[in-house]
Amino acid sequence: MPPAKPDGRTGTVMFGIPPRAWLLPLLLSAMAALWGVPVTGGMISCVHRNPCMNTEALQERANCVARNISSAHDWRILLQMKHFRKITRWPKLHSCVMTRVAGFYERALRRKLGLEPTDPIGHHRGPIVDLIGLMHDLETCSRVDKKKCQVLVANAEKMASHEKPTTKMKPRDWAIRQIQHLNQALEKLSDADTLDKAMDELKFLHNYIKGTGIRKWAKAQ
């Protein structure tokens, strides 16, 4: 056994143990006795966080709704992922675009049920109704700056839509392009092919949610 060392604070003898080394285990044990929390070597966390957006439920129900839909429409509503990723790195752009996406899909899903935008859901049940609720969640989870989003939307409405993308396009340009695609599709929702295209692309929407503009965790109640 190593020789005893005096404790500089109290003058008591601590047998080779640093003065404060025994405090943490005692503190953890006391907390466990008080709160009934299992003691581990790591940090104790009593906070349970729920995901803000249930992307698994979104993917599952979207696949269910679009199971027998195959659109031959060659015009895209959602940008190709390689282009959309340029938006996801910018929180204000990504959140603004995703609120527009959520609004578009709520209208499209209501159309699928034969409802107008202001009609109550009523007796309707099933995956389409679940998806409408998930679109509300998507809006809630967006870190949107309303003023800057309004400016972006206004620019998208007054700017001409270029037919072909160019290498000079910046993230803001891609965000404007995406909003323009959504606006154009919204005007054609009464067309069955456009509605089918929207449902077909809905199967991949969970990939577009991943980015800096969407909160990962729900706000504490």
Side-chain angles (χ1 to χ4, degrees), residues 9 13 42 58 72 74 86 111 118-119 135 154:
R9 293 175 302 160
V13 176
L58 172 63
D74 58 354
K86 297 178 181 179
R111 170 72 66 171
T118 57
D119 288 345
M135 292 306 108

Side-chain angles (χ1 to χ4, degrees), residues 45-192:
S45 175
C46 300
V47 179
H48 176 70
R49 297 193 296 178
N50 294 316
C52 193
M53 184 68 199
N54 191 339
T55 53
E56 291 183 3
L58 172 63
Q59 184 179 10
E60 178 187 350
R61 284 157 178 78
N63 284 329
C64 179
V65 169
R67 181 175 299 160
N68 298 318
I69 295 176
S70 179
S71 174
H73 210 305
D74 58 354
W75 181 77
R76 296 184 64 91
I77 298 173
L78 298 176
L79 296 176
Q80 292 182 6
M81 201 64 225
K82 64 180 181 180
H83 296 145
F84 195 87
R85 284 196 186 98
K86 297 178 181 179
I87 300 172
T88 62
R89 300 168 188 168
W90 299 86
K92 290 182 173 61
L93 294 179
H94 185 220
S95 60
C96 181
V97 167
M98 291 313 297
T99 57
R100 302 294 293 186
V101 169
F104 166 77
Y105 268 108
E106 182 180 354
R107 292 279 295 273
L109 290 162
R110 283 178 169 274
R111 170 72 66 171
K112 193 75 176 170
L113 289 175
L115 299 175
E116 294 298 323
T118 57
D119 288 345
I121 297 297
H123 65 279
H124 293 284
R125 298 290 184 273
I128 294 180
V129 175
D130 293 343
L131 285 166
I132 291 174
L134 287 166
M135 292 306 108
H136 292 167
D137 291 346
L138 181 54
E139 287 192 74
T140 302
C141 294
S142 298
R143 306 175 187 270
V144 66
D145 183 320
K146 292 184 178 180
K147 289 184 178 179
K148 292 189 176 181
C149 189
Q150 288 172 354
V151 172
L152 189 69
V153 171
N155 287 336
E157 290 174 349
K158 68 183 181 182
M159 290 177 64
S161 178
H162 301 288
E163 290 299 324
K164 293 183 179 180
T166 66
T167 56
K168 295 181 180 180
M169 289 179 67
K170 298 178 180 179
R172 181 180 175 83
D173 299 325
W174 286 113
I176 288 174
R177 169 68 70 89
Q178 179 61 89
I179 293 171
Q180 289 174 335
H181 278 213
L182 293 167
N183 290 344
Q184 291 165 13
L186 195 58
E187 293 175 357
K188 301 176 183 177
L189 266 185
S190 57
D191 177 40

